[in-house]
Amino acid sequence: MGEVDPAFIQEPEHRPNLSIIQAEGIPVIDLSPIINKTLSDPSAIEGLVKKVGSACKEWGFFQVTNHGVPLSLRQSIDEASRKFFAQSMEEKRKIYRDESTISGYYDTEHTKNVRDWKEVFDFVATEPTVVPLTSDEDDDRLTQWTNKSPEYPPNFSVILQEYMQEMEKLAFKLLELIALSLGLEAKRFEQFFTKDQTSFIRLNHYPPCPFPHLALGVGRHKDAGGLTILAQDEVGGLEVKRKADQQWVRVEPTPDAFIINVCDSIQVWSNDAYESVEHRVMVNSEKERFSIPYFFNPAHNCEVKPLDELTNEQNPSKYRPYEWGKFFVHRMGGNLKKKNVENIQIYHYKL
Ligand code: OGA
Ligand code: NI
């Protein structure tokens, strides 16, 4: 054990439990009733809305099949990701992320980062992405994030953009289902995402880890934005904290399915009806793993607070409003710079 780099050892509460419950449980939802149709006839999708509602309530996570995203596109991005990460460190470092943006490549070994056993490439959906320069509430200055486009594999940026367009289409459909399941108008959330979205895609590569019992691919966390749409490969390793008993449950890879989770903003908009659930990634000593989360995030100036329709005297607002961009930048800044400092969390805004 003398060779274990202490930088990767996760504190005991972040480490894997030895007994992992295999996930029967996380609902798999067939989206065929809404694919290639608009949501104009609510009665045709009533069953679907119910399933989405109970998945959001009971798990905060679900998988979707028949989602309309072409398999060929998923294969292209998967292949491109594998080719990109297979390059030498020297090549990958050419597009190293600097502190002015989230886009680019980074590996946690060389970044003063959390202790995650992975390497990452981030790419923003809107170019440029406008965000606050700092998380300081008195500072109005804005900045722009642009992408660092890898030269290899060829067409990488085009594939990323095409894939993200599909992700966005799916995300808007899911938002409608979620809105309907809360008794809201189908398009209730759309306004937060139509202009100046801060969405981005992340390619994750988790190399085999020689000390998997001490490390994690990603330590436990909640996703901060609107929705996450995750493609995981056949290796598996994602675990979700089951709301019913707080046990970690493995999300078994389902071919061609996407894993969806509701993130912090939906928890706040819904005034805790749908909670953003903790999850983490296990590593293993034999197999490398790839995953591709798409983070569907609101505009930077979106004010996140419980919706009027979902609060009343019996169920008063549980959060004070915050600006999404400030929260986001605070969170990213924490990830980039500060090890062992607690990141900003929505409970800091609890009333
Ligand atoms: C994340 C995340 C899960 C995975 O990047 O926020 O939870 O399976 N990833 O890689
Ligand atoms: Ni996550």
Side-chain angles (χ1 to χ4, degrees), residues 72-85:
S72 57
L73 201 49
R74 176 144 172 196
Q75 285 163 342
S76 311
I77 196 165
D78 184 59
E79 207 176 290
S81 170
R82 285 167 195 265
K83 282 184 178 160
F84 171 76
F85 285 119

Side-chain angles (χ1 to χ4, degrees), residues 135-336:
S135 57
D136 180 350
E137 291 187 17
D138 301 322
D139 185 348
D140 301 333
R141 288 172 299 166
L142 299 173
T143 187
Q144 299 188 338
W145 289 343
T146 50
N147 279 322
K148 292 187 163 49
S149 296
E151 283 166 24
Y152 181 85
N155 289 332
F156 199 7
S157 305
V158 177
I159 295 168
L160 288 162
Q161 276 151 0
E162 280 178 11
Y163 183 82
M164 279 198 287
Q165 273 170 16
E166 288 294 323
M167 290 294 105
E168 183 182 322
K169 262 176 28 195
L170 178 57
F172 275 116
K173 286 183 180 144
L174 291 164
L175 269 190
E176 294 196 15
L177 293 170
I178 290 170
L180 291 170
S181 76
L182 287 164
L184 302 165
E185 240 181 85
K187 306 262 186 211
R188 183 64 175 90
F189 294 116
E190 210 172 282
Q191 57 186 305
F192 306 130
F193 297 87
T194 37
K195 208 172 151 273
D196 299 334
Q197 249 181 56
T198 58
S199 303
F200 67 103
I201 194 162
R202 169 166 290 170
L203 308 180
N204 284 314
H205 175 220
Y206 303 95
C209 178
F211 45 95
H213 55 299
L214 293 177
L216 282 167
V218 185
R220 65 184 171 86
H221 68 283
K222 298 180 180 190
D223 295 347
L227 283 177
T228 304
I229 304 180
L230 175 83
Q232 72 163 341
D233 69 10
E234 69 295 341
V235 174
L238 174 65
E239 291 176 5
V240 169
K241 202 169 225 185
R242 181 162 58 195
K243 282 182 71 177
D245 57 7
Q246 303 294 300
Q247 293 295 310
W248 288 107
V249 169
R250 179 72 59 102
V251 184
E252 287 304 326
T254 304
D256 312 334
F258 289 102
I259 298 161
I260 314 296
N261 59 298
V262 300
C263 309
D264 289 347
S265 310
I266 291 190
Q267 173 165 346
V268 174
W269 285 322
S270 74
N271 205 29
D272 284 354
Y274 295 166
E275 280 166 343
S276 171
V277 164
E278 267 191 340
H279 51 286
R280 67 183 187 185
V281 174
M282 306 276 278
V283 280
N284 71 71
S285 54
E286 282 127 47
K287 291 185 190 149
E288 61 179 344
R289 173 174 182 266
F290 294 86
S291 75
I292 308 178
Y294 165 77
F295 299 104
F296 185 58
N297 291 338
H300 77 85
N301 56 4
C302 171
E303 192 186 48
V304 187
K305 61 176 184 190
L307 299 177
D308 289 344
E309 302 94 306
L310 299 177
T311 52
N312 55 38
E313 251 169 58
Q314 287 75 48
N315 182 24
S317 171
K318 295 186 169 131
Y319 296 89
R320 65 189 161 86
Y322 61 88
E323 197 183 295
W324 159 251
K326 293 286 181 196
F327 187 80
F328 186 35
V329 166
H330 197 153
R331 178 67 75 88
M332 298 318 287
N335 284 348
L336 285 176

Side-chain angles (χ1 to χ4, degrees), residues 11 114 330 333-335 337-345:
E11 292 80 6
V114 286
H330 197 153
N335 284 348
K337 289 171 211 137
K338 297 175 216 136
K339 212 179 230 177
N340 296 332
V341 172
E342 198 202 10
N343 242 323
I344 185 87
Q345 302 288 347

Side-chain angles (χ1 to χ4, degrees), residues 110-145:
H110 298 94
T111 311
K112 282 165 212 48
N113 201 323
V114 286
R115 295 146 188 260
D116 301 340
W117 186 263
K118 65 173 181 180
E119 53 179 346
V120 173
F121 175 73
D122 283 347
F123 198 84
V124 294
T126 309
E127 208 163 17
T129 293
V130 179
V131 288
L133 182 63
T134 72
S135 57
D136 180 350
E137 291 187 17
D138 301 322
D139 185 348
D140 301 333
R141 288 172 299 166
L142 299 173
T143 187
Q144 299 188 338
W145 289 343

